[in-house]
Amino acid sequence: MTTAPISTAPATPAARRRPVGRIVLHACLIAVLLVMLYPLAWLLATSFKPADEVVASLKLLPSHFEWSNYSTALDGVNEVSVGRLLWNSLLIACGAVLGNVISCSLAAYAFARLRFKMRGPLFAFMIATIMLPHHAILIPQYIIFNQLGMVNTYWPMILPKFLATDAFFVFLIVQFMRGLPRELEEAARIDGCGPFRSFFSVILPLTRPALITTAIFTFIWTWNDFFTQLIYLFEPEKFTLTLALRSFVDASSQSAFGPMFAMSVFALLPIVLFFLAFQRFLVEGMASSGLKG
Amino acid sequence: MTATATRPQDAAPPATGGKRAPKRERQGAAWVFLSPWVLGAAVLTLLPMAVSLYLSFTDYDMFDAPQWIGFRNYTQMFTEDPRYWRSVITTLTYVVIAVPLQLAMALAVAIALKSVKRGKGFYRSAFYAPSLLGASMSIALVWRAIFNDGGSVDNLLSGMGIDIGGWINRPGWAILSVALLTIWQFGAPMVIFLAGLQQIPVELYEAAAVDGASWWRQFRSITIPMLSPVLFFNLVLQMIQAFQVFTPAFAVSAGKGGPADSTLVYTLYLYDRGFTASHMGYASAMAWALLLAIGAVTAVLFRTSRAWVFYANDNNEGGR
C-alpha cells in the first residue's frame, strides 16, 4: 500500500521559491472559505435575530440577541417538544449505527478474508448496489413495511441497517480489512482459532478505525436523512428534528424565521459536534473510500 | 427432491491433518458471516427490484390489488405527461450544471491545498464540513432564505447593480440555487482528489521541471492523467447522487416543485406521483426509468473511460 516515500511531498517548486506566492495562495483559500462559511454564520446569526431584522441586510450581527427564538424552538412543533424530537432522532440514528457496524463488518470480513464459492459474483453485486438508486426499491420496501405494520414506526429506518443494506460501508470496511497482514490470521489459526475467534479477537479490534468511520457516517447520514422519514413517519409524536423542520417549509412568514433557525441549530448541533470530534476519521474515511482500488 | 438424507458433515471425508479446518466448514463460516447481507440483499434489494418492475406494469394505489395494464404507465410517462418531461429536463439541467462545477471546484481547491504546508489539516476539514451539513434540511432552509426575494443574495446582487430578484421565485433561477448548494458541498470529492494527488510521485514533476515544462503543461500531462482514475470515480459517484437530489428541491419549493415546476426534480415528481397522488404503479415505472437512465449513463462513462482513464500501476506495484 505504501507505494513510494511521497507523503511528505514538498510544495510545487514555484510556491517554495516565492513566499509571496504562498501568501496569495493562503489569501485565496481563506477568501473561498469565508464565502463558504457565510451560510453557516447566517444561520447562527439569524437564530438570534428579532423578527424585523431577519431580512433586508447582509449584516450578520443582530441589534440585540433575541433569546426568545430559542425558547420558542424549545417548545417544539405541533406541541411536540424539542427534547422529544431530539430523542426520536437519536433513537433512529443510534439504532442505525448499531445495525451498520455489526452487519457491515460481518459481511466485509467474509468478502475480505474468507474464501467461498460465488465470492466474485456476490462481491460484484454488492458493489453494484452502491450505485442502485434508492428509488428503484423504495415503493416495494414501503409496501413490505406496510404489510408488516411497521409504517409510522422506526423499524423501516433501522431494520435494513441490520441487514447490511448500506453497501458503501461494506465496501469501506472490506478495503480496510484487505490492508491488514494475512499473517495475523495464519498465526491465529496455528494457535487454534477458527474463523469466528479470529474475526472477533484479531481482525475486528484492528478494524476499529473503519468501524468508527462507519459509525459516524451512519449517524450523520441517518440524522440528516429526510426522504425516508418523510414517507414512513406521519404522527407528530414520532417526528424527528429533521422532519419537524418540515412544518416550517410551508410557512414562509418572516416571523417564524428566528424560531425556525433556532430549531435548525438544534438539528445541526450533533453533526457539528461529531464533526469537530471525529474530523480525522471522517476526512480519512472519505479519502480512503475512493482509493486503494 | 430425492432422498439426500445424509447430512453433509457425515459425508465429508475426515480432516486429514487436523490443523486446518475442513474446507466445507470454512465455507460454512463464510456464509454465517454473510447471512445478514444475503438476507438484506434478497429481501430488501432483489425482491423489491422485481416487485417494482412488476408494479411498473400495473395500476396500483396501495389499497386495491394491482391491475395489469402493460406498458400503459410508460407510454403515459413518455407521451402524455408534460410534467414528466419537465422533471427530466430540470434534473438534467441541474446535473449538467452542478456536477462539473462541483468537481472543478473540488479539483482546484485540492491542487491549491496540495502545495500548502501550514494549516493543511485545518483547510481540509473546513472545506469538507459543508459536505456533511449540506445534506440537511436545516441548510436547505438557509438556502431558501438567502436566495429568497430580499434575502442576502438578492441584496448583494442588487447592491452591485444586478437585479435578479429572489432566485427561488423565478423559474430558471430556482434550480440554480439548488445547484449552488450542491457545488457548495465540493469537500467530499476534494478530499478524494487530495488523497489522489498525494499518490502522484514527485519525481514526475521534478523531471518535468528540469525539462522546463510550464505549470499548465505539468497539469495537463502529469496531474490529469495520473489523477484520471480518481476523477472518474468522483464523476460516477457524484453523478449518481445528483440524479437523486431531493431535499433542497423540496425545501426551496415547499414540496411543490415550483415556481412553474422549475424545481420539480425527478425524485420530487416521483414522490408526488407515488406518495401524494397514490399512483404507485406510475411511480414504479418512473423509478425503473431512473434506474435504466443511471445505468445507461454509468455504462457510457465506463465505456468512454477507456479513452481517458489511465491506470499507472498496470505493470508495477499494484495495490491489490
Side-chain angles (χ1 to χ4, degrees), chain B residues 138-293:
Chain B
S138 308
I139 297 297
L141 289 172
V142 170
W143 235 252
R144 187 177 68 154
I146 63 180
F147 283 94
N148 206 342
D149 209 2
S152 301
V153 173
D154 182 22
N155 266 315
L156 182 70
L157 289 178
S158 52
M160 295 181 345
I162 307 165
D163 215 3
I164 300 167
W167 291 29
I168 66 162
N169 314 313
R170 291 194 58 172
W173 287 87
I175 195 69
L176 275 184
S177 70
V178 178
L180 274 176
L181 175 52
T182 307
I183 297 164
W184 186 66
Q185 302 172 51
F186 68 77
M190 178 206 76
V191 164
I192 296 174
F193 276 138
L194 195 56
L197 284 172
Q198 276 159 350
Q199 310 242 333
I200 303 177
V202 197
E203 296 84 56
L204 289 180
Y205 291 104
E206 281 166 356
V210 168
D211 291 347
S214 65
W215 182 90
W216 174 246
R217 188 59 212 261
Q218 293 183 22
F219 174 74
R220 241 184 44 209
S221 305
I222 302 173
T223 309
I224 290 297
M226 293 298 285
L227 207 56
S228 55
V230 180
L231 187 62
F232 178 64
F233 174 85
N234 271 336
L235 182 64
V236 172
L237 216 65
Q238 295 302 327
M239 191 93 99
I240 291 172
Q241 274 176 28
F243 270 109
Q244 302 176 62
V245 64
F246 181 81
T247 311
F250 188 98
V252 156
S253 66
K256 308 283 196 305
D261 284 349
S262 67
T263 57
L264 188 73
V265 291
Y266 200 91
T267 54
L268 191 51
Y269 189 46
L270 193 154
Y271 167 77
D272 174 77
R273 289 296 90 194
F275 292 91
T276 311
S278 282
H279 291 313
M280 289 290 186
Y282 195 77
S284 297
M286 282 189 70
W288 264 85
L290 178 67
L291 176 70
L292 294 179

Side-chain angles (χ1 to χ4, degrees), chain B residues 70-192:
Chain B
F71 282 93
R72 192 76 193 83
N73 284 326
Y74 290 95
T75 52
Q76 194 188 340
M77 229 161 69
F78 293 137
T79 59
E80 296 159 34
D81 187 352
R83 290 191 85 198
Y84 176 79
W85 285 111
R86 186 68 251 186
S87 77
V88 170
I89 290 166
T90 302
T91 307
L92 287 177
T93 311
Y94 158 81
V95 170
V96 166
I97 294 170
V99 175
L101 287 179
Q102 186 202 38
L103 292 184
M105 196 72 195
L107 184 57
V109 176
I111 287 172
L113 275 189
K114 192 200 166 193
S115 52
V116 164
K117 268 186 268 177
R118 266 165 181 253
K120 189 180 206 156
F122 163 76
Y123 284 123
R124 216 172 56 145
S125 293
F127 283 119
Y128 181 64
S131 294
L132 292 176
L133 302 172
S136 65
M137 188 44 114
S138 308
I139 297 297
L141 289 172
V142 170
W143 235 252
R144 187 177 68 154
I146 63 180
F147 283 94
N148 206 342
D149 209 2
S152 301
V153 173
D154 182 22
N155 266 315
L156 182 70
L157 289 178
S158 52
M160 295 181 345
I162 307 165
D163 215 3
I164 300 167
W167 291 29
I168 66 162
N169 314 313
R170 291 194 58 172
W173 287 87
I175 195 69
L176 275 184
S177 70
V178 178
L180 274 176
L181 175 52
T182 307
I183 297 164
W184 186 66
Q185 302 172 51
F186 68 77
M190 178 206 76
V191 164
I192 296 174

Side-chain angles (χ1 to χ4, degrees), chain B residues 293-305:
Chain B
I294 289 180
V297 170
T298 313
V300 167
L301 284 179
F302 269 93
R303 265 290 145 102
T304 60
S305 76

Side-chain angles (χ1 to χ4, degrees), chain A residues 127-161:
Chain A
I127 296 292
T129 59
I130 297 180
M131 301 188 196
L132 182 73
H134 182 217
H135 305 83
I137 50 177
L138 175 81
I139 288 164
Q141 274 191 4
Y142 184 87
I143 295 167
I144 291 171
F145 285 119
N146 191 36
Q147 295 284 325
L148 295 170
M150 288 180 180
V151 167
N152 202 30
T153 72
Y154 299 149
W155 289 115
M157 270 72 76
I158 297 172
L159 208 56
K161 311 286 176 182

